[in-house]
Amino acid sequence: MKKIGVLTSGGDSPGMNAAVRAVVRKAIFNGLEVYGIYGGYTGLINGHIEKLEIGSVGDIIHRGGTNLFTARCPEFKTLEGQQKGIEQLKKFGIEGLVVIGGDGSYQGAKKLTEHGFPCVGVPGTIDNDIPGTDFTIGFDTALNTIINAIDKIRDTATSHGFTYVIEVMGRNAGDLALWAGLADGAETILIPEVNYDMDEVISKLNRGAERGKKHSIIIVAEGVGSAIEIGKIVKERTNFDTRVTVLGHVQRGGSPSAFDRVLASRLGAYAVELLMEGKGGRCVGIQNNQLVDHDIIEALAKKHTIDKGMYTLSQELSI
Ligand code: ADP
């Protein structure tokens, strides 16, 4: 393989730039040519493709978002869209593709693989919901952003005696909520993977108030539902002074943490290694601090799960 392409797709995540940098530098170091595809699968279909040099990825390792831009591209879900993409790749002489993104982007890479085009998926999403890896690029940064925000909210909660319901991102996965809740000592963590009982949520708040707690924090993963609705129920049933904060897109941006930069560098470079060995149809990840790769079709057939032990611990520590 002499020419490879790289694109970022779906929701942006901090560390995507570091991953692109690693792909480009690792490829050039090994004598390959690298092409940047701008705007995810939309750029692939439209042929928005440019050759990248060593300097093209200078000064981006510490920047959030993605300099290759990203997009949601419904057309790529169609056979026609996928064929247009493959034609563009052929036109530029690109023989392998690194796709950095979340599970939707992996579906696109899977389709290319099924059409016989070698692709390697790199997990770039704050949601940590990709099977075959313990961590996705951007999760750690988003988690730290959430922690910083909750620490600030906690100051106000303590000062006023508010009960706070805080909604965090994560799509259908509860990882951000669970890790944030454990790291911030939240009283209650509501995640989509575990059914919750509103009576238990309320009685826990009441128990806390009885032992003199001035404030409480309930973290709600977006996959569970609206924090605003949950806040209304809490207020109705307890009459505690309840406030709701939906953290929103602040969680997606910002300079990537050291962990995410290192993870992105390792995974991006590993993806290039696989393509150089002629291995397509793979997705890369980190498990037990070892770089791993899996068949992308098999990986997508599996479901990401939360660490049940961590959930139990969060409950034991927030009695
Ligand atoms: P993420 O990658 O963050 O999960 P999306 O779910 O929006 O984000 O997926 C990103 C893009 O991947 C979509 O806009 C689409 O172009 C492509 N994609 C998603 N699902 C498929 C699919 N089933 N087949 C082909 N391409 C897909």
Side-chain angles (χ1 to χ4, degrees):
M1 212 172 274
K2 282 277 153 235
K3 290 186 188 180
I4 64 166
V6 55
L7 62 79
T8 51
S9 164
D12 67 316
S13 74
M16 277 184 161
N17 277 328
V20 172
R21 174 182 177 273
V23 169
V24 171
R25 297 266 167 104
K26 178 81 179 182
I28 294 175
F29 179 84
N30 286 286
L32 304 183
E33 281 183 20
V34 201
Y35 288 79
I37 295 150
Y38 287 83
Y41 293 119
T42 305
L44 180 60
I45 289 174
N46 299 336
H48 192 174
I49 299 172
E50 281 169 22
K51 190 170 176 223
L52 299 175
E53 308 293 347
I54 300 171
S56 310
V57 288
D59 203 26
I60 65 167
I61 195 167
H62 62 301
R63 294 190 198 281
T66 162
N67 281 24
L68 285 183
F69 304 111
T70 184
R72 312 265 186 204
C73 175
E75 194 185 350
F76 203 70
K77 292 186 183 175
T78 67
L79 179 62
E80 202 192 349
Q82 293 152 20
Q83 282 168 343
K84 277 190 202 166
I86 291 175
E87 273 166 35
Q88 292 289 358
L89 290 164
K90 287 196 175 140
K91 196 166 117 192
F92 282 83
I94 297 168
E95 300 155 290
L97 181 65
V98 178
V99 171
I100 304 166
D103 59 349
S105 306
Y106 270 37
Q107 293 289 350
K110 176 183 147 183
K111 283 283 165 6
L112 289 174
T113 300
E114 286 169 350
H115 297 313
F117 193 90
C119 268
V120 177
V122 174
T125 166
I126 64 168
D127 302 333
N128 211 40
D129 59 350
I130 305 285
T133 187
D134 293 343
F135 296 107
T136 58
I137 298 164
F139 172 69
D140 182 66
T141 307
L143 178 61
N144 280 288
T145 302
I146 294 170
I147 297 309
N148 286 333
I150 297 179
D151 285 349
K152 291 183 174 117
I153 288 169
R154 186 186 275 281
D155 288 344
T156 300
T158 315
S159 304
H160 286 263
F162 289 155
T163 294
Y164 261 99
V165 183
I166 301 171
E167 184 180 312
V168 303
M169 291 177 93
R171 270 188 157 178
N172 297 318
D175 286 54
L176 277 174
L178 175 57
W179 283 66
L182 191 54
D184 228 307
E187 276 66 35
T188 298
I189 304 168
L190 304 183
I191 55 175
E193 293 86 349
V194 181
N195 291 333
Y196 72 93
D197 176 0
M198 204 60 207
D199 291 341
E200 176 50 29
V201 173
I202 301 296
S203 56
K204 200 170 195 182
L205 288 174
N206 287 330
R207 283 202 302 274
E210 278 160 21
R211 72 171 169 88
K213 270 178 78 75
K214 295 266 183 294
H215 69 275
S216 287
I217 289 175
I218 299 171
I219 298 188
V220 180
E222 66 174 332
V224 166
S226 163
I228 295 169
E229 295 306 316
I230 291 167
K232 272 188 203 152
I233 297 170
V234 169
K235 196 173 173 65
E236 277 165 19
R237 292 188 53 179
T238 63
N239 217 19
F240 292 149
D241 210 347
T242 308
R243 296 288 188 276
V244 176
T245 298
V246 179
L247 289 180
H249 275 167
V250 74
Q251 297 162 90
R252 285 242 293 256
S255 181
S257 66
F259 181 88
D260 277 329
R261 296 181 202 190
V262 171
L263 181 65
S265 300
R266 294 175 76 189
L267 293 181
Y270 189 46
V272 174
E273 273 177 35
L274 292 177
L275 285 178
M276 285 192 311
E277 288 167 17
K279 290 186 189 159
R282 312 295 294 171
C283 56
V284 296
I286 187 163
Q287 289 175 318
N288 302 320
N289 203 26
Q290 299 296 314
L291 296 177
V292 292
D293 60 286
H294 301 282
D295 182 293
I296 196 165
I297 296 170
E298 283 171 19
L300 277 171
K302 292 194 180 127
K303 232 179 114 45
H304 167 77
T305 51
I306 55 146
D307 185 329
K308 286 267 161 61
M310 257 179 72
Y311 181 76
T312 308
L313 178 64
S314 74
Q315 291 200 302
E316 288 168 353
L317 301 187
S318 63
I319 32 173

